[in-house]
Amino acid sequence: MTESGYGWVQVGVGFTINAFTWGQTASYSMYLAHYLSHNMFSTATSIDYAFIGGIQFAVSLLIAPLVTVIARKLSTQPPMLIGILLQTVGFISASYATRIWHLYLAQGLLIGLGLGFIFVPSTPVISQWFSKKRSLALGISSAGSGVGGLIFSFGIQAIIDDLSLAWAFRITAIVSGVMNLLAVALIRNRNSTVKPPQLGFDTKLLVRYDVLLLLGWGFLSMLGYITLLYSLPDFSASIGLSKTQAAAIGAYLNLGTAIGRPMAGFASDKLGRIEVAGVLTCFCGFTCFTIWTPETNYGVTILFAIVSGAVVGVFWMTVSPIAAEVAGLPQVPSLLSIMWLTIFLPILFAEVIALKLRRPGASNEYLYPQIFAGLSSVLASACLLELWRYRRGGLFKQESRRND
């Protein structure tokens, strides 16, 4: 297993893909804040806008088994090219939306399909190039979503203010399309060496206790992740911050992501992937209760955005190496496909639940969403704690057999 050379090129490729897929998806919080403060579509409600963001994210995961099979038959690049086309068409179509159902189809469905076709084939690639430094490599790669989110959070708000919402969509389409095409030109898998089965859905994994615990972690952590990611800019507005300050909060969250994920990856390689992911997931819930809930000013909101941003997305940079640790490297594509289906529902409904829990007019209208996000993260960390205990017990049994 190579640990250098072209493997680090793949880290750069992954960084770029994360920046211009998940980075721009993270910036949906800016669109959401804009939609909630402007009556752009007469028949739309806040739930409609929450669903659009959820659909964009969730659809990209729902199609994972199909895309995995397509990647097996056609290799990595062809489905990614399809995804770039769908993503670009989605953004351009959204720029001409005049009805809420136009946004559902364009910003929700089309962009979501594009994301799925781009990221699913690329996800297992970095793990194929690294073993000892796998978490560090994936941490650097996943930091791209933070850098991308930082760029898009400031950029989208500035474009909306200076030009229009339509041009924010069009410029995003051009920039994302060009950068993702560059990534496709450079990406290289090692399927001929690793020989992964690339089954879209291997049901044998579903009867394993350790796999179910891993899936439980993903399900619960996504409830907290989406709530925090999409709610923070509108929460900022609810405590009296300006549009510019609210946009900056979204950017600071992504800055925390860009800083925290490589550090988490390095720590995972040194201290254990399951252990570090569990501790950071729990810490994210802790910050929701201790910092986010009582905060009422700009400075503390910046602090929370950076600190929580560093840990809130730990799932995305550790799920692949933990999947390799739990199921073995050849089974990573199949286990990840199952994971994407598992987190489909929490991603689709988390922000809808959060907005339903919101109490407009209250002194802290986001109190219940804050509790919801914190509790979800703490419960998710309990799944990893049990996974660590279970696997540790299994290792002790194997060691005892060797000694006997």
Side-chain angles (χ1 to χ4, degrees):
M1 180 80 66
T2 182
E3 295 282 337
S4 60
Y6 206 73
W8 291 107
V9 175
Q10 299 311 297
V11 173
V13 169
F15 183 96
T16 302
I17 291 171
N18 279 310
F20 295 96
T21 54
W22 299 124
Q24 64 83 15
T25 299
S27 68
Y28 182 76
S29 60
M30 308 312 304
Y31 292 111
L32 179 61
H34 182 77
Y35 294 147
L36 292 176
S37 62
H38 295 74
N39 186 24
M40 298 186 60
F41 303 95
S42 58
T43 59
T45 67
S46 61
I47 302 303
D48 287 308
Y49 299 129
F51 261 125
I52 290 167
I55 288 170
Q56 181 184 125
F57 213 134
V59 165
S60 66
L61 305 176
L62 182 64
I63 62 171
L66 171 64
V67 178
T68 299
V69 173
I70 293 173
R72 181 183 66 198
K73 294 182 180 297
L74 302 179
S75 192
T76 302
Q77 289 88 347
M80 292 182 69
L81 291 172
I82 295 171
I84 293 169
L85 176 63
L86 289 169
Q87 184 189 48
T88 303
V89 171
F91 277 116
I92 297 298
S93 300
S95 72
Y96 292 100
T98 57
R99 300 271 196 279
I100 188 61
W101 66 267
H102 296 169
L103 276 189
Y104 269 105
L105 290 178
Q107 195 172 14
L109 183 61
L110 277 176
I111 294 176
L113 289 171
L115 289 172
F117 272 90
I118 294 169
F119 101 91
V120 170
S122 68
T123 300
V125 171
I126 292 177
S127 293
Q128 296 176 352
W129 287 86
F130 292 89
S131 178
K132 293 180 181 179
K133 299 178 181 177
R134 184 177 293 152
S135 293
L136 174 61
L138 285 163
I140 295 172
S141 169
S142 64
S145 64
V147 174
L150 182 67
I151 294 169
F152 283 112
S153 293
F154 279 125
I156 287 172
Q157 189 62 56
I159 295 169
I160 291 174
D161 291 341
D162 295 341
L163 296 175
S164 66
L165 175 65
W167 274 107
F169 283 127
R170 292 164 194 160
I171 293 172
T172 301
I174 295 168
V175 173
S176 297
V178 170
M179 296 305 296
N180 284 324
L181 282 173
L182 176 62
V184 171
L186 295 174
I187 196 167
R188 297 290 184 274
N189 64 54
R190 299 183 70 237
N191 290 343
S192 59
T193 302
V194 178
K195 294 184 174 19
Q198 290 187 291
L199 297 175
F201 197 95
D202 187 353
T203 55
K204 293 179 182 178
L205 293 171
L206 292 173
V207 300
R208 291 177 47 175
Y209 182 57
D210 53 353
V211 170
L212 293 177
L213 288 171
L214 186 63
L215 298 178
W217 168 59
F219 185 96
L220 292 168
S221 63
M222 283 301 101
L223 291 173
Y225 172 74
I226 293 296
T227 299
L228 203 162
L229 183 69
Y230 284 170
S231 297
L232 202 52
D234 190 59
F235 162 79
S236 301
S238 75
I239 61 173
L241 302 186
S242 67
K243 288 193 300 181
T244 301
Q245 289 174 323
I249 293 301
Y252 282 123
L253 178 74
N254 287 291
L255 175 63
T257 298
I259 295 171
R261 290 191 180 181
M263 296 173 63
F266 179 79
S268 295
D269 286 330
K270 297 293 183 182
L271 304 176
R273 290 151 187 164
I274 295 172
E275 294 91 328
V276 170
V279 169
L280 293 182
T281 302
C282 185
F283 179 72
C284 182
F286 179 76
T287 62
C288 289
F289 292 123
T290 59
I291 304 178
W292 191 18
T293 301
E295 71 177 84
T296 57
N297 63 69
Y298 187 42
V300 178
T301 308
I302 291 174
L303 173 65
F304 173 72
I306 295 174
V307 172
S308 64
V311 296
V312 69
V314 66
F315 170 86
W316 297 106
M317 52 81 44
T318 56
V319 64
S320 185
I322 292 177
E325 196 170 313
V326 169
L329 189 58
Q331 286 281 22
V332 167
S334 183
L335 180 50
L336 289 179
S337 291
I338 296 172
M339 178 63 82
W340 308 148
L341 290 178
T342 300
I343 63 178
F344 168 79
L345 288 178
I347 285 176
L348 180 61
F349 289 105
E351 185 61 14
V352 175
I353 295 170
L355 290 183
K356 279 292 186 181
L357 292 174
R358 191 180 56 156
R359 304 176 302 163
S363 58
N364 181 2
E365 64 181 72
Y366 271 90
L367 176 62
Y368 293 157
Q370 290 164 339
I371 295 172
F372 174 66
L375 188 60
S376 297
S377 297
V378 171
L379 291 175
S381 70
C383 291
L384 282 190
L385 175 62
E386 171 61 10
L387 176 60
W388 172 80
R389 186 205 63 80
Y390 175 79
R391 286 180 57 80
R392 190 166 180 253
L395 290 173
F396 280 147
K397 290 178 182 178
Q398 293 174 17
E399 189 64 34
S400 296
R401 292 193 191 100
R402 292 193 195 101
N403 293 335
D404 292 341

